[in-house]
């Protein structure tokens, strides 16, 4: 039973570029959430996708956008990259609705470095 | 405004002793709390959770206590083992039905506590 998988594991970009990160949820999960973890901090919620729609969003600018596909996998896109976007990007999968009282499962993340 | 706080960035404990990690929160709408463990180069791994209708939940060596009046939770690890050395994050969430329909829970994390268990 595959857990949450993310790709790529590492990425180096320069300021102003655009990046796409990918996530496949745990088998049986229908919801994908994205988090940003800066060095020395806890993960911060970016947004959540369910039924191919953005359902909740944290305090991130609209340079951060996403998508969910019919097979529940998801992409995180960041445009006009800034040095401050350097972080570990974590994807978590879970169940929505009445089954939401179960823990989210995380992937190992994508380490994004902006030069 | 940090809604979930872990005030101890680090904790060292002798093997076999008890480790106690603490977490405070400010949002009274939080009704579900979790602890995750994170090793370097890996994603957070779920450890244990507790609903706000309980004040204690146990799973093997791990026990989480919730004090709603103090808005405080703690994780007890007994006995501590060297393999427990990791960063521990507490997280909290609001019932998604109070936010938007068809949503799952959104987690708010503390900044983490580095636990080192000394052999």
């Amino acid at each position: 039973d595959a857990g949450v998988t993310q790709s790529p594991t590492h990425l180096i970009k320069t300021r102003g570029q655009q990046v796409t990160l990918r996530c496949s949820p745990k088998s049986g999960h229908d919801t994908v959430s994205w988090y940003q973890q800066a060095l020395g901090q806890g993960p911060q919620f970016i947004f959540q996708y369910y039924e191919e729609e953005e359902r909740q969003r944290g305090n991130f600018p609209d340079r951060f956008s996403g998508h969910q596909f019919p097979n529940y996998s998801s992409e995180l896109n960041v445009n006009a990259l800034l040095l401050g976007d350097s972080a570990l990007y974590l994807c978590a999968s879970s169940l929505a609705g009445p089954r939401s009282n179960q823990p989210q499962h995380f992937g190992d993340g994508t380490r994004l470095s902006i030069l | 405004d940090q809604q979930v706080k872990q005030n101890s960035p680090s904790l060292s404990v002798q093997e076999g002793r008890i480790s106690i990690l603490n977490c405070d929160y400010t949002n009274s709408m939080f009704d579900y709390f979790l602890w995750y463990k994170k090793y370097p180069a890996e994603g957070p791994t779920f450890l244990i959770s507790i609903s706000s209708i309980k004040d204690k939940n146990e799973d093997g060596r791990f026990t989480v206590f919730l004090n709603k009046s103090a808005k405080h939770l703690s994780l007890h690890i007994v006995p501590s083992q060297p393999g427990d050395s990791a960063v521990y994050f507490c997280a909290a969430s609001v019932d998604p039905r109070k936010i938007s329909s068809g949503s799952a829970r959104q987690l708010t994390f503390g900044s983490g506590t580095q636990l080192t268990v000394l052999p």
Side-chain angles (χ1 to χ4, degrees), chain B residues 22-33:
Chain B
N22 294 303
C23 180
D24 297 295
Y25 62 95
T26 57
N27 188 345
S28 56
M29 289 183 65
F30 287 146
D31 68 343
Y32 183 58
F33 304 86

Side-chain angles (χ1 to χ4, degrees), chain B residues 69-103:
Chain B
S69 60
K71 293 192 175 65
H72 177 84
L73 66 156
S74 60
L75 174 68
H76 292 208
I77 307 173
V78 181
S80 301
Q81 300 172 354
D84 296 329
S85 297
V87 178
Y88 288 77
F89 292 99
C90 72
S93 69
V94 175
D95 186 337
R97 291 168 293 184
K98 296 180 180 176
I99 300 174
S100 67
S101 62
S103 290

Side-chain angles (χ1 to χ4, degrees), chain B:
Chain B
D1 175 29
Q2 264 192 300
Q3 296 188 64
V4 178
K5 291 183 183 178
Q6 294 177 257
N7 291 318
S8 298
S10 62
L11 174 69
S12 289
V13 169
Q14 209 67 36
E15 181 179 5
R17 294 294 197 68
I18 183 171
S19 295
I20 300 177
L21 296 97
N22 294 303
C23 180
D24 297 295
Y25 62 95
T26 57
N27 188 345
S28 56
M29 289 183 65
F30 287 146
D31 68 343
Y32 183 58
F33 304 86
L34 309 91
W35 284 93
Y36 283 86
K37 176 170 74 174
K38 188 178 184 303
Y39 294 117
E42 293 184 14
T45 302
F46 169 71
L47 266 180
I48 192 169
S49 63
I50 188 166
S51 163
S52 60
I53 62 172
K54 295 184 173 182
D55 53 19
K56 177 182 173 182
N57 188 28
E58 269 183 275
D59 184 3
R61 296 186 297 115
F62 303 92
T63 303
V64 56
F65 295 92
L66 176 63
N67 182 333
K68 285 189 301 260
S69 60
K71 293 192 175 65
H72 177 84
L73 66 156
S74 60
L75 174 68
H76 292 208
I77 307 173
V78 181
S80 301
Q81 300 172 354
D84 296 329
S85 297
V87 178
Y88 288 77
F89 292 99
C90 72
S93 69
V94 175
D95 186 337
R97 291 168 293 184
K98 296 180 180 176
I99 300 174
S100 67
S101 62
S103 290
R105 288 183 175 271
Q106 163 192 334
L107 300 181
T108 301
F109 283 85
S111 54
T113 296
Q114 171 71 58
L115 173 66
T116 302
V117 180
L118 305 167

